[in-house]
Amino acid sequence: MKFLRILLCFCLLSIFLLVGATRNGVAQDAKQWRLATFAIDVTPPVGHMLFTGGFKLSTGVTTKLEARGFVLLSPSGNEAKPFVVCSVDWGEIRNDAYNAWRDTLAEAVGTDRKRVLVTSIHQHDTALADLTAEKMLRDVGSEHQVIDPAFHTDVLTRLAEAAKQGVVDAKPVTHFGVGKAKVERIASNRRYVLEDGSVHYN
């Protein structure tokens, strides 16, 4: 899972570098670009609701969950604002929660929401963030929970601090690379063909 996350980040970094370098029709000096990284713990507290097959409460912590990302900063004098990519060990980040993550990162590093990509890894025994759904439950007095708003706010507060510090410690980008590999022996297709030729999904 971590390998896939790293591969995704480097693929996106390569794209951003190429787009930025050709935007003005001229090649940019790679050493002028800077890269900042950040990471925080996003493990929900024991007793928090988890995104599982039946939405169950956390009973313990086997592996810590993280949000990891990078900020790509343009060369000095370039008016282009930073790009941000953040990968989160949560089931899903939906609706206003998704916008909150992007707005938090954008404000922290001085960019626009449209330049921020937040992606959840989608493990099923992690948190699911949807503040709209949580508010709807609270408004009708439901005992169910999607996410604890206080926990979510704390995560975003620490995320902003980590992103800001990352920019302070940004390092020059000197090289970037691309690669490819054949994926074998991975069975994760939910759409499958039965003997009669019909395609099913479940």
Tab-separated table of all heavy atoms in Angstrom, residues 84-141:
chain	number	residue	atom	x	y	z
A	84	VAL	N	-0.230	20.959	-4.436
A	84	VAL	CA	-0.196	20.111	-3.250
A	84	VAL	C	-0.845	18.765	-3.556
A	84	VAL	O	-1.910	18.717	-4.174
A	84	VAL	CB	-0.935	20.761	-2.056
A	84	VAL	CG1	-0.755	19.917	-0.791
A	84	VAL	CG2	-0.468	22.188	-1.830
A	85	VAL	N	-0.203	17.699	-3.125
A	85	VAL	CA	-0.783	16.358	-3.209
A	85	VAL	C	-0.731	15.747	-1.813
A	85	VAL	O	0.310	15.787	-1.157
A	85	VAL	CB	-0.008	15.457	-4.195
A	85	VAL	CG1	-0.572	14.038	-4.184
A	85	VAL	CG2	-0.060	16.036	-5.604
A	86	CYS	N	-1.858	15.222	-1.356
A	86	CYS	CA	-1.925	14.621	-0.026
A	86	CYS	C	-2.661	13.288	-0.088
A	86	CYS	O	-3.780	13.216	-0.610
A	86	CYS	CB	-2.627	15.559	0.948
A	86	CYS	SG	-2.718	14.939	2.651
A	87	SER	N	-2.044	12.254	0.425
A	87	SER	CA	-2.631	10.920	0.456
A	87	SER	C	-2.953	10.553	1.908
A	87	SER	O	-2.100	10.709	2.784
A	87	SER	CB	-1.646	9.909	-0.142
A	87	SER	OG	-2.172	8.609	-0.112
A	88	VAL	N	-4.180	10.075	2.143
A	88	VAL	CA	-4.663	9.880	3.506
A	88	VAL	C	-5.087	8.433	3.731
A	88	VAL	O	-5.814	7.858	2.915
A	88	VAL	CB	-5.859	10.814	3.796
A	88	VAL	CG1	-6.219	10.785	5.280
A	88	VAL	CG2	-5.563	12.235	3.337
A	89	ASP	N	-4.676	7.862	4.846
A	89	ASP	CA	-5.034	6.482	5.208
A	89	ASP	C	-6.448	6.406	5.786
A	89	ASP	O	-6.654	5.882	6.885
A	89	ASP	CB	-4.044	5.933	6.241
A	89	ASP	CG	-2.706	5.561	5.635
A	89	ASP	OD1	-2.662	5.211	4.444
A	89	ASP	OD2	-1.691	5.635	6.351
A	90	TRP	N	-7.424	6.936	5.066
A	90	TRP	CA	-8.821	6.872	5.495
A	90	TRP	C	-9.654	6.210	4.410
A	90	TRP	O	-9.233	6.108	3.251
A	90	TRP	CB	-9.369	8.265	5.774
A	90	TRP	CG	-8.963	8.827	7.104
A	90	TRP	CD1	-8.135	8.238	8.025
A	90	TRP	CD2	-9.345	10.082	7.656
A	90	TRP	NE1	-7.981	9.038	9.117
A	90	TRP	CE2	-8.710	10.188	8.923
A	90	TRP	CE3	-10.150	11.119	7.226
A	90	TRP	CZ2	-8.874	11.293	9.750
A	90	TRP	CZ3	-10.320	12.230	8.039
A	90	TRP	CH2	-9.687	12.312	9.295
A	91	GLY	N	-10.871	5.787	4.800
A	91	GLY	CA	-11.754	5.137	3.844
A	91	GLY	C	-12.201	6.087	2.749
A	91	GLY	O	-12.068	5.800	1.562
A	92	GLU	N	-12.739	7.222	3.148
A	92	GLU	CA	-13.197	8.224	2.192
A	92	GLU	C	-13.166	9.600	2.855
A	92	GLU	O	-13.269	9.710	4.078
A	92	GLU	CB	-14.623	7.937	1.714
A	92	GLU	CG	-14.761	6.655	0.905
A	92	GLU	CD	-16.197	6.378	0.485
A	92	GLU	OE1	-17.052	7.283	0.652
A	92	GLU	OE2	-16.468	5.267	-0.011
A	93	ILE	N	-13.054	10.638	2.035
A	93	ILE	CA	-13.172	12.026	2.490
A	93	ILE	C	-14.160	12.683	1.532
A	93	ILE	O	-13.842	12.926	0.379
A	93	ILE	CB	-11.822	12.753	2.485
A	93	ILE	CG1	-10.815	12.015	3.376
A	93	ILE	CG2	-11.988	14.192	2.958
A	93	ILE	CD1	-9.427	12.607	3.364
A	94	ARG	N	-15.362	12.963	2.040
A	94	ARG	CA	-16.462	13.355	1.167
A	94	ARG	C	-16.932	14.793	1.399
A	94	ARG	O	-16.750	15.363	2.465
A	94	ARG	CB	-17.681	12.451	1.413
A	94	ARG	CG	-17.481	10.981	1.196
A	94	ARG	CD	-18.754	10.269	1.634
A	94	ARG	NE	-18.714	8.827	1.432
A	94	ARG	CZ	-19.634	7.998	1.896
A	94	ARG	NH1	-20.638	8.481	2.612
A	94	ARG	NH2	-19.548	6.701	1.665
A	95	ASN	N	-17.593	15.321	0.360
A	95	ASN	CA	-18.375	16.554	0.438
A	95	ASN	C	-17.622	17.704	1.101
A	95	ASN	O	-16.513	18.036	0.706
A	95	ASN	CB	-19.706	16.263	1.148
A	95	ASN	CG	-20.522	15.225	0.400
A	95	ASN	OD1	-20.549	15.229	-0.824
A	95	ASN	ND2	-21.196	14.340	1.125
A	96	ASP	N	-18.218	18.332	2.122
A	96	ASP	CA	-17.570	19.501	2.720
A	96	ASP	C	-16.295	19.130	3.463
A	96	ASP	O	-15.410	19.975	3.645
A	96	ASP	CB	-18.530	20.250	3.650
A	96	ASP	CG	-19.201	19.354	4.670
A	96	ASP	OD1	-19.023	18.127	4.589
A	96	ASP	OD2	-19.924	19.878	5.540
A	97	ALA	N	-16.161	17.888	3.870
A	97	ALA	CA	-14.903	17.456	4.500
A	97	ALA	C	-13.774	17.499	3.472
A	97	ALA	O	-12.658	17.932	3.769
A	97	ALA	CB	-15.043	16.050	5.077
A	98	TYR	N	-14.069	17.053	2.247
A	98	TYR	CA	-13.074	17.093	1.174
A	98	TYR	C	-12.654	18.533	0.883
A	98	TYR	O	-11.465	18.836	0.755
A	98	TYR	CB	-13.645	16.436	-0.082
A	98	TYR	CG	-12.700	16.402	-1.249
A	98	TYR	CD1	-11.503	15.709	-1.184
A	98	TYR	CD2	-13.015	17.066	-2.435
A	98	TYR	CE1	-10.622	15.667	-2.261
A	98	TYR	CE2	-12.147	17.036	-3.515
A	98	TYR	CZ	-10.962	16.337	-3.427
A	98	TYR	OH	-10.107	16.308	-4.499
A	99	ASN	N	-13.639	19.422	0.807
A	99	ASN	CA	-13.311	20.828	0.583
A	99	ASN	C	-12.520	21.406	1.742
A	99	ASN	O	-11.623	22.239	1.553
A	99	ASN	CB	-14.597	21.644	0.371
A	99	ASN	CG	-15.247	21.345	-0.967
A	99	ASN	OD1	-14.575	20.938	-1.914
A	99	ASN	ND2	-16.553	21.538	-1.045
A	100	ALA	N	-12.835	20.978	2.958
A	100	ALA	CA	-12.121	21.474	4.133
A	100	ALA	C	-10.647	21.073	4.090
A	100	ALA	O	-9.764	21.869	4.425
A	100	ALA	CB	-12.777	20.949	5.408
A	101	TRP	N	-10.362	19.838	3.671
A	101	TRP	CA	-8.970	19.384	3.547
A	101	TRP	C	-8.242	20.223	2.513
A	101	TRP	O	-7.120	20.678	2.739
A	101	TRP	CB	-8.929	17.910	3.165
A	101	TRP	CG	-9.045	16.977	4.321
A	101	TRP	CD1	-10.162	16.703	5.053
A	101	TRP	CD2	-7.999	16.190	4.897
A	101	TRP	NE1	-9.882	15.790	6.047
A	101	TRP	CE2	-8.565	15.459	5.967
A	101	TRP	CE3	-6.651	16.015	4.598
A	101	TRP	CZ2	-7.814	14.582	6.744
A	101	TRP	CZ3	-5.894	15.145	5.372
A	101	TRP	CH2	-6.471	14.442	6.442
A	102	ARG	N	-8.878	20.427	1.361
A	102	ARG	CA	-8.222	21.179	0.293
A	102	ARG	C	-8.042	22.645	0.674
A	102	ARG	O	-6.994	23.237	0.418
A	102	ARG	CB	-9.031	21.050	-0.998
A	102	ARG	CG	-9.068	19.610	-1.518
A	102	ARG	CD	-10.114	19.450	-2.596
A	102	ARG	NE	-9.747	20.177	-3.809
A	102	ARG	CZ	-10.624	20.620	-4.701
A	102	ARG	NH1	-11.917	20.437	-4.506
A	102	ARG	NH2	-10.216	21.250	-5.777
A	103	ASP	N	-9.055	23.237	1.303
A	103	ASP	CA	-8.950	24.634	1.719
A	103	ASP	C	-7.872	24.810	2.786
A	103	ASP	O	-7.128	25.793	2.783
A	103	ASP	CB	-10.291	25.132	2.258
A	103	ASP	CG	-11.319	25.325	1.158
A	103	ASP	OD1	-10.919	25.464	-0.020
A	103	ASP	OD2	-12.528	25.337	1.470
A	104	THR	N	-7.798	23.861	3.706
A	104	THR	CA	-6.793	23.929	4.778
A	104	THR	C	-5.388	23.909	4.197
A	104	THR	O	-4.531	24.723	4.574
A	104	THR	CB	-6.974	22.751	5.750
A	104	THR	OG1	-8.232	22.881	6.415
A	104	THR	CG2	-5.852	22.715	6.784
A	105	LEU	N	-5.141	22.978	3.281
A	105	LEU	CA	-3.813	22.887	2.674
A	105	LEU	C	-3.513	24.094	1.791
A	105	LEU	O	-2.386	24.607	1.779
A	105	LEU	CB	-3.700	21.599	1.864
A	105	LEU	CG	-3.588	20.319	2.695
A	105	LEU	CD1	-3.783	19.086	1.818
A	105	LEU	CD2	-2.241	20.264	3.409
A	106	ALA	N	-4.519	24.550	1.052
A	106	ALA	CA	-4.320	25.707	0.181
A	106	ALA	C	-3.932	26.945	0.989
A	106	ALA	O	-2.985	27.666	0.646
A	106	ALA	CB	-5.581	25.974	-0.634
A	107	GLU	N	-4.652	27.192	2.075
A	107	GLU	CA	-4.360	28.349	2.910
A	107	GLU	C	-2.999	28.220	3.579
A	107	GLU	O	-2.260	29.205	3.704
A	107	GLU	CB	-5.449	28.511	3.967
A	107	GLU	CG	-5.262	29.720	4.863
A	107	GLU	CD	-6.375	29.894	5.873
A	107	GLU	OE1	-7.366	29.156	5.799
A	107	GLU	OE2	-6.247	30.782	6.748
A	108	ALA	N	-2.645	27.007	3.979
A	108	ALA	CA	-1.380	26.796	4.691
A	108	ALA	C	-0.167	27.104	3.826
A	108	ALA	O	0.850	27.594	4.332
A	108	ALA	CB	-1.304	25.356	5.201
A	109	VAL	N	-0.255	26.816	2.526
A	109	VAL	CA	0.932	26.985	1.662
A	109	VAL	C	0.775	28.123	0.661
A	109	VAL	O	1.651	28.349	-0.172
A	109	VAL	CB	1.252	25.677	0.907
A	109	VAL	CG1	1.413	24.524	1.886
A	109	VAL	CG2	0.181	25.347	-0.135
A	110	GLY	N	-0.343	28.855	0.724
A	110	GLY	CA	-0.516	29.998	-0.146
A	110	GLY	C	-0.867	29.657	-1.581
A	110	GLY	O	-0.248	30.167	-2.512
A	111	THR	N	-1.871	28.802	-1.756
A	111	THR	CA	-2.287	28.444	-3.101
A	111	THR	C	-3.807	28.400	-3.181
A	111	THR	O	-4.506	28.814	-2.251
A	111	THR	CB	-1.672	27.098	-3.543
A	111	THR	OG1	-1.888	26.918	-4.942
A	111	THR	CG2	-2.243	25.933	-2.772
A	112	ASP	N	-4.338	27.918	-4.302
A	112	ASP	CA	-5.779	27.819	-4.496
A	112	ASP	C	-6.241	26.378	-4.334
A	112	ASP	O	-5.480	25.446	-4.590
A	112	ASP	CB	-6.171	28.307	-5.895
A	112	ASP	CG	-5.749	29.746	-6.139
A	112	ASP	OD1	-5.847	30.552	-5.195
A	112	ASP	OD2	-5.314	30.045	-7.265
A	113	ARG	N	-7.512	26.210	-3.972
A	113	ARG	CA	-8.071	24.870	-3.796
A	113	ARG	C	-7.908	24.014	-5.049
A	113	ARG	O	-7.649	22.810	-4.966
A	113	ARG	CB	-9.552	24.969	-3.439
A	113	ARG	CG	-10.210	23.614	-3.225
A	113	ARG	CD	-11.712	23.684	-3.320
A	113	ARG	NE	-12.322	24.366	-2.190
A	113	ARG	CZ	-13.639	24.559	-2.080
A	113	ARG	NH1	-14.450	24.138	-3.027
A	113	ARG	NH2	-14.135	25.179	-1.041
A	114	LYS	N	-8.036	24.614	-6.223
A	114	LYS	CA	-7.965	23.848	-7.468
A	114	LYS	C	-6.577	23.247	-7.712
A	114	LYS	O	-6.423	22.372	-8.559
A	114	LYS	CB	-8.352	24.724	-8.662
A	114	LYS	CG	-7.398	25.881	-8.929
A	114	LYS	CD	-7.893	26.735	-10.086
A	114	LYS	CE	-6.947	27.906	-10.353
A	114	LYS	NZ	-7.439	28.758	-11.478
A	115	ARG	N	-5.589	23.710	-6.973
A	115	ARG	CA	-4.232	23.178	-7.110
A	115	ARG	C	-3.897	22.151	-6.028
A	115	ARG	O	-2.744	21.765	-5.864
A	115	ARG	CB	-3.211	24.317	-7.061
A	115	ARG	CG	-3.279	25.242	-8.274
A	115	ARG	CD	-2.350	26.428	-8.122
A	115	ARG	NE	-2.392	27.261	-9.306
A	115	ARG	CZ	-1.527	27.189	-10.316
A	115	ARG	NH1	-0.563	26.298	-10.275
A	115	ARG	NH2	-1.642	27.985	-11.357
A	116	VAL	N	-4.911	21.731	-5.277
A	116	VAL	CA	-4.704	20.774	-4.185
A	116	VAL	C	-5.448	19.475	-4.490
A	116	VAL	O	-6.649	19.483	-4.743
A	116	VAL	CB	-5.211	21.347	-2.848
A	116	VAL	CG1	-5.005	20.333	-1.722
A	116	VAL	CG2	-4.497	22.656	-2.523
A	117	LEU	N	-4.709	18.371	-4.461
A	117	LEU	CA	-5.308	17.045	-4.647
A	117	LEU	C	-5.210	16.276	-3.335
A	117	LEU	O	-4.121	16.086	-2.800
A	117	LEU	CB	-4.576	16.272	-5.746
A	117	LEU	CG	-4.961	14.796	-5.896
A	117	LEU	CD1	-6.413	14.668	-6.324
A	117	LEU	CD2	-4.045	14.086	-6.884
A	118	VAL	N	-6.358	15.854	-2.811
A	118	VAL	CA	-6.409	15.019	-1.615
A	118	VAL	C	-7.036	13.692	-2.009
A	118	VAL	O	-8.097	13.652	-2.623
A	118	VAL	CB	-7.245	15.676	-0.497
A	118	VAL	CG1	-7.383	14.733	0.694
A	118	VAL	CG2	-6.600	16.988	-0.060
A	119	THR	N	-6.367	12.610	-1.673
A	119	THR	CA	-6.868	11.288	-2.037
A	119	THR	C	-6.829	10.358	-0.833
A	119	THR	O	-5.862	10.357	-0.070
A	119	THR	CB	-6.039	10.686	-3.197
A	119	THR	OG1	-6.497	9.354	-3.475
A	119	THR	CG2	-4.557	10.642	-2.862
A	120	SER	N	-7.887	9.597	-0.642
A	120	SER	CA	-7.928	8.624	0.453
A	120	SER	C	-7.584	7.242	-0.086
A	120	SER	O	-7.984	6.871	-1.189
A	120	SER	CB	-9.305	8.613	1.132
A	120	SER	OG	-10.336	8.503	0.177
A	121	ILE	N	-6.839	6.464	0.699
A	121	ILE	CA	-6.370	5.140	0.285
A	121	ILE	C	-7.519	4.131	0.253
A	121	ILE	O	-7.506	3.177	-0.496
A	121	ILE	CB	-5.258	4.650	1.229
A	121	ILE	CG1	-4.081	5.636	1.208
A	121	ILE	CG2	-4.775	3.266	0.830
A	121	ILE	CD1	-3.449	5.783	-0.161
A	122	HIS	N	-8.536	4.354	1.065
A	122	HIS	CA	-9.769	3.562	1.068
A	122	HIS	C	-9.648	2.205	1.776
A	122	HIS	O	-10.279	1.236	1.399
A	122	HIS	CB	-10.286	3.355	-0.371
A	122	HIS	CG	-11.720	2.921	-0.420
A	122	HIS	ND1	-12.761	3.714	0.002
A	122	HIS	CD2	-12.286	1.775	-0.868
A	122	HIS	CE1	-13.898	3.076	-0.181
A	122	HIS	NE2	-13.655	1.891	-0.698
A	123	GLN	N	-8.842	2.137	2.821
A	123	GLN	CA	-8.909	0.947	3.665
A	123	GLN	C	-10.268	0.942	4.363
A	123	GLN	O	-10.822	1.985	4.678
A	123	GLN	CB	-7.806	0.953	4.733
A	123	GLN	CG	-6.399	1.079	4.191
A	123	GLN	CD	-5.908	2.505	4.238
A	123	GLN	OE1	-6.632	3.412	3.923
A	123	GLN	NE2	-4.665	2.690	4.649
A	124	HIS	N	-10.799	-0.248	4.634
A	124	HIS	CA	-12.139	-0.345	5.196
A	124	HIS	C	-12.175	-0.342	6.714
A	124	HIS	O	-13.252	-0.377	7.300
A	124	HIS	CB	-12.829	-1.616	4.675
A	124	HIS	CG	-13.349	-1.457	3.278
A	124	HIS	ND1	-14.419	-2.169	2.797
A	124	HIS	CD2	-12.940	-0.665	2.249
A	124	HIS	CE1	-14.656	-1.827	1.544
A	124	HIS	NE2	-13.777	-0.921	1.187
A	125	ASP	N	-11.046	-0.310	7.371
A	125	ASP	CA	-11.043	-0.273	8.834
A	125	ASP	C	-10.419	1.038	9.323
A	125	ASP	O	-9.614	1.067	10.238
A	125	ASP	CB	-10.304	-1.483	9.406
A	125	ASP	CG	-8.899	-1.632	8.838
A	125	ASP	OD1	-8.551	-0.889	7.887
A	125	ASP	OD2	-8.144	-2.483	9.337
A	126	THR	N	-10.815	2.115	8.657
A	126	THR	CA	-10.295	3.442	8.987
A	126	THR	C	-11.459	4.420	9.088
A	126	THR	O	-12.619	4.053	8.954
A	126	THR	CB	-9.307	3.917	7.897
A	126	THR	OG1	-10.006	3.969	6.641
A	126	THR	CG2	-8.140	2.957	7.767
A	127	ALA	N	-11.132	5.678	9.287
A	127	ALA	CA	-12.167	6.703	9.413
A	127	ALA	C	-12.756	7.076	8.058
A	127	ALA	O	-12.125	6.894	7.015
A	127	ALA	CB	-11.573	7.948	10.078
A	128	LEU	N	-13.982	7.583	8.092
A	128	LEU	CA	-14.639	8.136	6.915
A	128	LEU	C	-15.083	9.546	7.274
A	128	LEU	O	-15.812	9.739	8.255
A	128	LEU	CB	-15.830	7.287	6.499
A	128	LEU	CG	-16.558	7.688	5.205
A	128	LEU	CD1	-17.243	6.485	4.577
A	128	LEU	CD2	-17.597	8.795	5.453
A	129	ALA	N	-14.644	10.530	6.497
A	129	ALA	CA	-14.954	11.925	6.810
A	129	ALA	C	-16.070	12.453	5.915
A	129	ALA	O	-15.925	12.499	4.699
A	129	ALA	CB	-13.704	12.789	6.651
A	130	ASP	N	-17.179	12.824	6.521
A	130	ASP	CA	-18.288	13.464	5.816
A	130	ASP	C	-19.012	14.328	6.839
A	130	ASP	O	-19.867	13.850	7.594
A	130	ASP	CB	-19.230	12.415	5.211
A	130	ASP	CG	-20.259	13.031	4.277
A	130	ASP	OD1	-20.668	14.185	4.528
A	130	ASP	OD2	-20.658	12.360	3.306
A	131	LEU	N	-18.662	15.600	6.882
A	131	LEU	CA	-19.226	16.495	7.889
A	131	LEU	C	-20.695	16.780	7.638
A	131	LEU	O	-21.465	17.008	8.578
A	131	LEU	CB	-18.433	17.808	7.903
A	131	LEU	CG	-16.938	17.667	8.220
A	131	LEU	CD1	-16.245	19.020	8.128
A	131	LEU	CD2	-16.729	17.047	9.600
A	132	THR	N	-21.106	16.761	6.367
A	132	THR	CA	-22.518	16.966	6.040
A	132	THR	C	-23.371	15.849	6.609
A	132	THR	O	-24.405	16.081	7.252
A	132	THR	CB	-22.717	17.039	4.518
A	132	THR	OG1	-21.913	18.095	3.984
A	132	THR	CG2	-24.178	17.292	4.170
A	133	ALA	N	-22.937	14.604	6.375
A	133	ALA	CA	-23.682	13.455	6.894
A	133	ALA	C	-23.694	13.466	8.420
A	133	ALA	O	-24.717	13.148	9.048
A	133	ALA	CB	-23.065	12.160	6.376
A	134	GLU	N	-22.570	13.829	9.029
A	134	GLU	CA	-22.495	13.881	10.489
A	134	GLU	C	-23.481	14.907	11.041
A	134	GLU	O	-24.187	14.652	12.031
A	134	GLU	CB	-21.072	14.222	10.925
A	134	GLU	CG	-20.879	14.316	12.429
A	134	GLU	CD	-21.131	12.996	13.135
A	134	GLU	OE1	-20.886	11.927	12.539
A	134	GLU	OE2	-21.581	13.033	14.305
A	135	LYS	N	-23.573	16.071	10.410
A	135	LYS	CA	-24.498	17.106	10.866
A	135	LYS	C	-25.950	16.645	10.728
A	135	LYS	O	-26.791	16.916	11.599
A	135	LYS	CB	-24.284	18.393	10.069
A	135	LYS	CG	-25.172	19.555	10.531
A	135	LYS	CD	-24.884	20.816	9.768
A	135	LYS	CE	-25.707	21.983	10.313
A	135	LYS	NZ	-27.160	21.735	10.293
A	136	MET	N	-26.256	15.948	9.645
A	136	MET	CA	-27.617	15.448	9.450
A	136	MET	C	-28.003	14.474	10.566
A	136	MET	O	-29.139	14.500	11.068
A	136	MET	CB	-27.729	14.769	8.085
A	136	MET	CG	-27.610	15.727	6.907
A	136	MET	SD	-27.513	14.883	5.312
A	136	MET	CE	-29.162	14.174	5.214
A	137	LEU	N	-27.061	13.639	10.969
A	137	LEU	CA	-27.326	12.700	12.061
A	137	LEU	C	-27.561	13.444	13.369
A	137	LEU	O	-28.463	13.114	14.145
A	137	LEU	CB	-26.159	11.726	12.207
A	137	LEU	CG	-25.965	10.708	11.080
A	137	LEU	CD1	-24.677	9.932	11.290
A	137	LEU	CD2	-27.154	9.752	11.002
A	138	ARG	N	-26.724	14.461	13.630
A	138	ARG	CA	-26.878	15.222	14.870
A	138	ARG	C	-28.206	15.974	14.891
A	138	ARG	O	-28.850	16.100	15.929
A	138	ARG	CB	-25.722	16.221	15.011
A	138	ARG	CG	-24.328	15.620	15.077
A	138	ARG	CD	-24.021	14.937	16.411
A	138	ARG	NE	-24.722	13.676	16.587
A	138	ARG	CZ	-24.395	12.524	15.988
A	138	ARG	NH1	-23.353	12.477	15.181
A	138	ARG	NH2	-25.079	11.423	16.193
A	139	ASP	N	-28.603	16.508	13.717
A	139	ASP	CA	-29.826	17.311	13.647
A	139	ASP	C	-31.076	16.498	13.977
A	139	ASP	O	-32.079	17.052	14.444
A	139	ASP	CB	-29.971	17.938	12.255
A	139	ASP	CG	-28.975	19.070	12.017
A	139	ASP	OD1	-28.364	19.533	12.993
A	139	ASP	OD2	-28.805	19.477	10.844
A	140	VAL	N	-31.039	15.198	13.709
A	140	VAL	CA	-32.219	14.365	13.995
A	140	VAL	C	-32.038	13.562	15.284
A	140	VAL	O	-32.855	12.690	15.595
A	140	VAL	CB	-32.523	13.406	12.813
A	140	VAL	CG1	-32.856	14.206	11.567
A	140	VAL	CG2	-31.366	12.447	12.555
A	141	GLY	N	-30.977	13.844	16.024
A	141	GLY	CA	-30.759	13.180	17.301
A	141	GLY	C	-30.342	11.729	17.186
A	141	GLY	O	-30.558	10.936	18.113
